Amino acid sequence: DHSHWMRVIKVFEEMDSLQGKTVSLMLKTIFKEAGGIDQYMSFNAVPIYNKNGALDHYFALCRNMSQLMHTEKQMEQESAKAHEAEVIKNAFLKNMSHEIRTPLNAVIGFAELFDVEHAPEDEAIFVEEIKKNTNILLQLINDILFLSRLDAHMVEFKREVVDFVPLFASNLQ
């Protein structure tokens, strides 16, 4: 591959100048494996010295590492997806924790007001606030359960034609 030319040239120049360095390179080639996978070659060379201790030649081994590189790339991609899913899950749990605590605190707070001195006409407000916030809690829990069913592929979608304008207009109200 063109991006590896300079590395290869440098290594071969070092070998030609008999510097005696061990060589280890992973090279991307211009060739493709079956299925269009880029072909990678591992090139390793060790210096071989003669009886006088002078560098005589190099013993080199070239191996096709395409499948390994392809698998590593897939693992990196899957790892990145898993990390992203974990971040999203944690953000969701943090948000849901806040969303659930808010109405729960309101329910507890208004329920505790029954134990302190208050005007009897305030009780209707307390009850109304408790009902409102328990309904919010129930809706949140239903939404969480629905998301769980979506994640488990337990929800069936029914496609149908919908006139979107009146639906949108009613939600704006």
Side-chain angles (χ1 to χ4, degrees):
D1 189 74
H2 297 294
S3 62
H4 294 261
W5 281 7
M6 293 309 293
R7 287 177 54 205
V8 172
I9 290 170
K10 181 181 174 193
V11 166
F12 282 123
E13 285 175 348
E14 287 174 357
M15 290 170 67
D16 285 345
S17 65
L18 303 176
Q19 291 184 13
K21 292 182 179 177
T22 299
V23 176
S24 183
L25 286 174
M26 179 68 72
L27 304 170
K28 180 179 177 185
T29 71
I30 60 172
F31 305 110
K32 301 280 186 189
E33 292 273 315
I37 299 172
D38 288 328
Q39 195 172 76
Y40 289 85
M41 302 304 279
S42 170
F43 178 76
N44 298 292
V46 292
I48 304 295
Y49 298 93
N50 62 20
K51 294 176 187 171
N52 301 330
L55 180 61
D56 185 52
H57 63 278
Y58 280 87
F59 176 78
L61 178 65
C62 190
R63 295 186 321 176
N64 186 339
M65 303 296 283
S66 304
Q67 286 299 323
L68 177 66
M69 295 297 288
H70 179 68
T71 302
E72 284 179 4
K73 283 183 181 181
Q74 281 183 322
M75 288 177 61
E76 286 174 13
Q77 291 170 346
E78 292 301 320
S79 178
K81 285 180 188 177
H83 177 71
E84 182 181 350
E86 184 71 21
V87 167
I88 291 169
K89 183 186 83 168
N90 288 338
F92 173 77
L93 290 174
K94 182 179 175 184
N95 189 33
M96 279 298 108
S97 173
H98 172 74
E99 292 296 322
I100 290 172
R101 283 186 177 146
T102 302
L104 186 58
N105 285 334
V107 168
I108 292 168
F110 280 103
E112 288 175 349
L113 288 177
F114 282 103
D115 291 337
V116 297
E117 195 173 315
H118 62 276
E121 58 271 5
D122 289 342
E123 289 185 3
I125 295 170
F126 300 166
V127 170
E128 192 56 40
E129 285 298 317
I130 290 171
K131 284 181 181 180
K132 181 177 86 175
N133 284 285
T134 53
N135 284 334
I136 291 169
L137 275 171
L138 183 60
Q139 185 59 50
L140 282 169
I141 291 168
N142 284 337
D143 289 347
I144 292 169
L145 292 173
F146 179 72
L147 288 173
S148 175
R149 286 195 309 273
L150 274 176
D151 191 43
H153 304 289
M154 295 173 61
V155 175
E156 196 174 303
F157 294 101
K158 295 179 183 174
R159 299 188 188 275
E160 58 185 49
V161 177
V162 175
D163 188 359
F164 184 71
V165 175
L167 181 65
F168 183 73
S170 70
N171 282 325
L172 287 177
Q173 299 300 324

